[in-house]
């Protein structure tokens, strides 16, 4: 139906795209460590060197774990397998609350203790009006 | 099929259509803004800042859609040696770039009260910034090499390199830990956005698509006038 030249050009483009996809895949695969924005508490357990390492830790704020004193805020980040204790003093975003996502940036003291310098609230993908949320909770 | 494409016939459409598209756009965006800003409910968690989403998400969708279309058109233009495809691609690019910037800026405005930061170098946000750079490269390449024969090849190469980034943007939130939340709207499974919020979102998407169509028609019309001025009656 199409001329030989058209088929050759189509083949050429396909080759370019395939090789590009493959090379980008390899690059991203090897950079995975740096592409992730934060590590989960379980990832932290797998680290070899932790003392004063600068990382971001993300997960859920454990229910009933937030303790606020005059100097600092303490809470626990959990991924429901492992946990890490976080201490922080500074501004807290409005959406930071128990049972919700959080990303803390700071330094690891050891595998279960983390000193945060910055806290970001992570929003989930659920959008609904308050009435619907209330109805869901009643169930 | 496109070999005997006549600018004059297309010109009749592109010179008349913009005013109808503009009228339709005004109607749809009025409904969309009323729905998004007044009638839609506030979110249970982020309250009124959810309304930024009605601009942010459609803008991001449209910019991704337009970049994919530009790539498809450029590649088709290259394979079938048809210059008209390139002109359509060129005319589509400006609105795609503008919506890309809108998505980045509104995302930043939303991020400050919600996450607590204007900017984060996570995979979704960074890949979206890279898309904006590819848009910019594409537009600048047309400007610089406008009169050269090889402008078609250069712009096609830019789209080929840029298109690899598009699936990365889409799946970045699933492949890696990102600060950005995963997609709320899924074609195959149940969406995690309430229908009272989905409705204004879809209307705003339609409005933005109409706006892109409007800008496209005007840009394309200009391209056709340029061809007419060169005294060519076919491409």
């Amino acid at each position: 139906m199409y001329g030989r030249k058209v088929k050759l050009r189509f083949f050429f483009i396909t080759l370019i795209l395939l090789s590009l996809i493959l090379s980008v895949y390899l690059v991203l695969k090897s950079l995975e460590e740096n592409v992730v924005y934060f590590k989960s508490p379980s990832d932290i357990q797998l680290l070899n060197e932790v003392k004063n390492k600068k990382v971001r830790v993300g997960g859920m704020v454990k229910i009933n774990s937030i303790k606020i004193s005059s100097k600092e805020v303490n809470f626990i980040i959990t991924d429901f397998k492992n946990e890490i204790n976080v201490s922080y003093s500074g501004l807290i975003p409005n959406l930071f609350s128990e049972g919700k996502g959080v990303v803390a940036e700071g330094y690891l003291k050891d595998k279960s203790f983390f000193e945060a310098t910055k806290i970001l609230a992570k929003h989930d993908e659920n959008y609904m009006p308050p009435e619907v949320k209330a109805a869901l909770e009643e169930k | 099929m496109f070999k005997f494409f006549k600018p004059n016939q297309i010109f009749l459409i592109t010179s008349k259509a913009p005013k109808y598209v503009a009228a339709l756009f005004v109607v749809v965006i009025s409904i969309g803004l009323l729905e998004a800003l007044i009638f839609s409910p506030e979110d249970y968690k982020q309250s009124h800042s959810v309304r930024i989403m009605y601009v942010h998400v459609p803008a991001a969708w449209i910019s991704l859609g337009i970049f994919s279309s530009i790539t498809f058109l450029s590649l088709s233009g290259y394979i079938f040696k048809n210059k008209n495809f390139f002109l359509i691609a060129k005319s589509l690019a400006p609105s795609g770039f503008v919506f890309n910037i809108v998505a980045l800026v509104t995302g930043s405005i939303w991020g400050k009260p919600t996450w607590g930061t204007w900017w984060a170098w996570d995979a979704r946000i960074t890949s979206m910034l890279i898309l904006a750079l590819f848009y910019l490269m594409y537009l600048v390449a047309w400007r610089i090499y406008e009169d050269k024969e090889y402008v078609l090849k250069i712009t096609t190469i830019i789209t080929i390199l840029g298109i690899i980034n598009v699936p990365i943007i889409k799946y970045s939130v699933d492949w890696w830990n990102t600060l950005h939340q995963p997609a709320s709207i899924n074609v195959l499974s149940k969406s995690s956005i309430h229908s009272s919020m989905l409705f204004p979102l879809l209307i705003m998407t339609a409005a933005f698509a109409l706006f892109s169509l409007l800008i496209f028609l005007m840009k394309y019309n200009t391209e056709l006038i340029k061809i007419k001025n060169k005294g060519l009656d076919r491409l």
Side-chain angles (χ1 to χ4, degrees):
Chain A
M1 189 163 69
Y2 296 115
R4 201 170 64 90
K5 277 273 171 74
V6 172
K7 280 182 190 153
L8 268 178
R9 283 195 293 262
F10 183 76
F11 183 61
F12 181 51
I13 291 290
T14 316
L15 274 183
I16 293 177
L17 276 174
L18 278 178
S19 49
L20 266 176
I21 289 170
L22 199 65
S23 42
V24 169
Y25 173 78
L26 288 175
V27 168
L28 286 176
K29 197 75 189 161
S30 59
L31 287 177
E32 184 143 25
E33 182 88 341
N34 299 307
V35 177
V36 293
Y37 190 69
F38 59 83
K39 291 178 163 57
S40 70
S42 300
D43 296 334
I44 299 289
Q45 298 300 319
L46 299 175
L47 290 177
N48 292 326
E49 221 175 291
V50 291
K51 185 78 179 150
N52 284 331
K53 193 178 164 70
K54 192 176 184 198
V55 285
R56 292 195 197 94
V57 183
M60 286 285 175
V61 181
K62 199 182 178 187
I63 308 273
N64 295 329
S65 76
I66 299 182
K67 287 181 188 72
I68 300 173
S69 68
S70 56
K71 267 198 212 147
E72 55 177 23
V73 187
N74 288 286
F75 59 94
I76 295 171
I77 295 181
T78 174
D79 60 358
F80 306 111
K81 290 188 206 88
N82 290 290
E83 294 178 348
I84 189 162
N85 294 291
V86 180
S87 76
Y88 172 70
S89 62
L91 284 174
I92 290 171
N94 292 337
L95 265 68
F96 175 79
S97 60
E98 290 177 345
K100 295 292 175 188
V102 70
V103 177
E105 197 177 308
Y107 298 90
L108 278 170
K109 294 293 145 197
D110 56 52
K111 285 189 179 178
S112 59
F113 194 78
F114 183 73
E115 206 165 274
T117 51
K118 193 175 178 187
I119 285 188
L120 303 173
K122 186 165 162 30
H123 191 266
D124 60 19
E125 70 272 31
N126 297 308
Y127 293 82
M128 56 187 138
E131 307 87 66
V132 177
K133 175 72 181 167
L136 273 181
E137 269 169 5
E138 263 173 38
K139 267 185 207 170
Chain B
M1 155 171 75
F2 299 102
K3 278 234 166 75
F4 303 106
F5 157 82
K6 298 219 169 40
N8 276 330
Q9 288 172 6
I10 308 278
F11 186 70
L12 276 179
I13 302 170
T14 55
S15 56
K16 292 220 178 84
K19 57 183 176 214
Y20 300 111
V21 177
L24 193 59
F25 164 70
V26 170
V27 173
V28 175
I29 192 123
S30 310
I31 301 171
L33 284 177
L34 276 176
E35 280 289 338
L37 299 180
I38 298 164
F39 297 126
S40 72
E42 57 182 276
D43 185 63
Y44 77 103
K45 187 134 182 278
Q46 41 177 325
S47 74
H48 286 294
S49 61
V50 70
R51 298 185 197 286
I52 298 170
M53 184 263 292
Y54 300 124
V55 176
H56 176 76
V57 174
W61 280 347
I62 300 274
S63 67
L64 284 175
I66 288 183
F67 199 89
S68 310
S69 315
I70 288 175
T71 310
F72 182 73
L73 286 162
S74 299
L75 293 183
S76 310
Y78 170 73
I79 291 170
F80 299 109
K81 288 291 167 199
N82 185 318
K83 206 183 170 205
N84 190 34
F85 282 128
F86 292 103
L87 292 182
I88 297 175
K90 183 194 177 187
S91 317
L92 274 169
S95 54
F97 177 62
V98 168
F99 278 127
N100 192 331
I101 298 296
V102 167
L104 283 173
V105 170
T106 52
S108 184
I109 296 171
W110 182 84
K112 185 63 188 168
T114 317
W115 296 334
T117 183
W118 295 103
W119 187 266
W121 292 105
D122 84 337
R124 169 59 73 82
I125 305 171
T126 311
S127 56
M128 206 60 191
L129 182 68
I130 292 172
L131 182 69
L133 293 177
F134 271 104
Y135 263 121
L136 203 58
M137 265 192 268
Y138 181 84
L139 290 167
V140 170
W142 271 107
R143 276 285 170 89
I144 298 175
Y145 304 112
E146 184 92 64
D147 308 319
K148 302 281 198 314
E149 191 57 35
Y150 52 80
V151 64
L152 304 181
K153 283 183 184 135
I154 292 181
T155 53
T156 305
I157 290 168
I158 294 171
T159 60
I160 291 177
L161 294 175
I163 196 68
I164 306 292
N165 189 32
V166 170
I168 295 178
I169 296 176
K170 171 77 180 93
Y171 294 107
S172 54
V173 288
D174 303 324
W175 291 341
W176 304 295
N177 292 335
T178 54
L179 187 58
H180 195 287
Q181 60 269 39
S184 299
I185 293 160
N186 302 303
V187 180
L188 295 177
S189 53
K190 198 177 173 300
S191 292
S192 55
I193 178 168
H194 192 257
S195 55
S196 61
M197 293 169 164
L198 183 60
F199 179 62
L201 184 63
L202 295 179
I203 305 243
M204 287 301 282
T205 310
F208 283 9
L210 281 168
F211 183 77
S212 295
L213 179 64
L214 177 65
I215 300 297
F216 160 71
L217 285 170
M218 290 154 95
K219 285 272 169 196
Y220 190 47
N221 199 32
T222 319
E223 295 298 328
L224 292 178
I225 290 171
K226 280 186 197 161
I227 291 171
K228 277 162 78 99
N229 287 349
K230 282 181 190 158
L232 304 168
D233 64 340
R234 64 162 75 156
L235 281 170

